Amino acid sequence: MTLLQPFIEFAFMRRALVACIALSLSATPLGVFLLLRRMSLVGDALSHAVLPGAAIGYLISGLSLVAMGIGGIIAGLSVALLSGAVSRYTPLREDASFAGFYLGSLALGVTLVSLRGSSVDLLHVLFGSLLAVDNPSLLLVSAIASVTLLALALIYRPLVIDAFDPAFLRAQSRWAALLVHALFLILVVTNLVAGFQVLGTLMCVGLMMLPAAASRFWRKELPGMVGTAMTLGLIASFSGLSASFYLALPAGPAVVLCAALLFFISILVGPCGGILRARFFTVDKEKR
């Protein structure tokens, strides 16, 4: 009961936990597919790409949830489309074009926020304020999570095919392949915008990618990886918020730090390629 006490007594802890649960259920499956498609750093790039749009919304309406969210979605999708166009029509690879656009977007966003806001506002945008999540933010995050899970269920089969054999999907239907890729990027951007509302632009990608990367060391089949990633995200959310309450740590970084700790534990003892397990298994095999 000691661990549950903060969530029973304080409404702001309950709202923060519900927001993290929603993100864990919707963002971590996207992280698994980003890993399968070898686009891990694209998630990080898009998390920074939403910053200029959010900053413009902030300049227009202050810390308005709707304005910053719409601006972030527009900016993130613009960077994704521009990066795809550059990689398609120039010799530059997609990862390099994403890197160029996201670095420029990050610098532009920080500059725009600094034009009007204080250092406190800048820290709020970059690192979020998980314990200050209000009801409108919670509704937005929950709605995005619900739509994401429904959309993933609808495009699951072509998304799996596109992850493992994109040439086959393009051979079947080029337009279907483009549509699946576009819908996937839209889901990634919208979940990063939801995470931006809670964890900030620099932290939101951590809850998307760290549990997804850790799940690779626990399960080999795709459904198992998705379920494990969700579970690890939930564990990181609960343990991070508990640590932030009892140890007086910033809540958002505490959640991501717990996710990173689970990632390192998975590297060491995970049954599917963990360092220690592989070493002991090799020693036992040699003894036999």
Side-chain angles (χ1 to χ4, degrees), residues 1-6 246:
M1 288 298 293
T2 302
L3 291 178
L4 296 177
Q5 183 179 357
Y246 288 108

Side-chain angles (χ1 to χ4, degrees), residues 146-287:
S146 301
V147 172
T148 298
L149 291 174
L150 178 60
L152 281 176
L154 292 175
I155 66 171
Y156 181 79
R157 288 179 63 85
L159 193 59
V160 172
I161 296 173
D162 191 39
F164 289 101
D165 193 357
F168 175 78
L169 185 62
R170 287 195 296 269
Q172 296 297 311
S173 174
R174 183 178 179 183
W175 289 109
L178 290 174
L179 180 61
V180 168
H181 185 68
L183 288 175
F184 178 69
L185 287 179
I186 290 172
L187 292 177
V188 171
V189 170
T190 52
N191 275 266
L192 289 173
V193 169
F196 156 78
Q197 304 288 343
V198 178
L199 298 172
T201 59
L202 298 184
M203 293 285 106
C204 62
V205 72
L207 196 57
M208 176 181 287
M209 298 308 306
L210 286 171
S215 69
R216 172 62 182 82
F217 293 95
W218 296 99
R219 300 295 293 270
K220 291 183 178 180
E221 69 279 7
L222 180 56
M225 288 178 61
V226 171
T228 303
M230 289 180 173
T231 303
L232 292 174
L234 295 174
I235 294 173
S237 300
F238 180 80
S239 56
L241 286 171
S242 299
S244 72
F245 182 82
Y246 288 108
L247 301 178
L249 300 174
V255 171
V256 178
L257 276 175
C258 287
L261 180 61
L262 291 173
F263 173 64
F264 288 124
I265 292 173
S266 302
I267 291 176
L268 291 175
V269 301
C272 301
I275 295 173
L276 296 180
R277 185 178 178 87
R279 181 177 180 181
F280 290 136
F281 179 78
T282 302
V283 171
D284 291 341
K285 190 174 181 180
E286 290 176 353
K287 289 181 178 179

Side-chain angles (χ1 to χ4, degrees), residues 4-103:
L4 296 177
Q5 183 179 357
F7 306 100
I8 296 173
E9 292 186 4
F10 301 104
F12 66 89
M13 291 293 291
R14 292 195 295 270
R15 287 194 294 267
L17 181 61
V18 171
C20 287
I21 289 174
L23 287 175
S24 298
L25 295 178
S26 65
T28 51
L30 296 174
V32 171
F33 280 104
L34 284 172
L35 285 175
L36 293 177
R37 297 160 70 99
R38 299 184 179 182
M39 296 172 64
S40 304
L41 293 179
V42 170
D44 184 54
L46 288 176
S47 70
H48 299 314
V50 305
L51 185 55
I56 292 174
Y58 167 75
L59 290 175
I60 295 174
S61 303
L63 292 174
S64 167
L65 171 69
V66 176
M68 294 176 69
I70 293 175
I73 291 175
I74 294 174
L77 292 178
S78 299
V79 168
L81 292 174
L82 287 172
S83 299
V86 168
S87 64
R88 182 175 181 180
Y89 296 109
T90 69
L92 198 65
R93 291 171 58 93
E94 189 174 21
D95 57 345
S97 63
F98 264 110
F101 280 109
Y102 104 76
L103 289 171

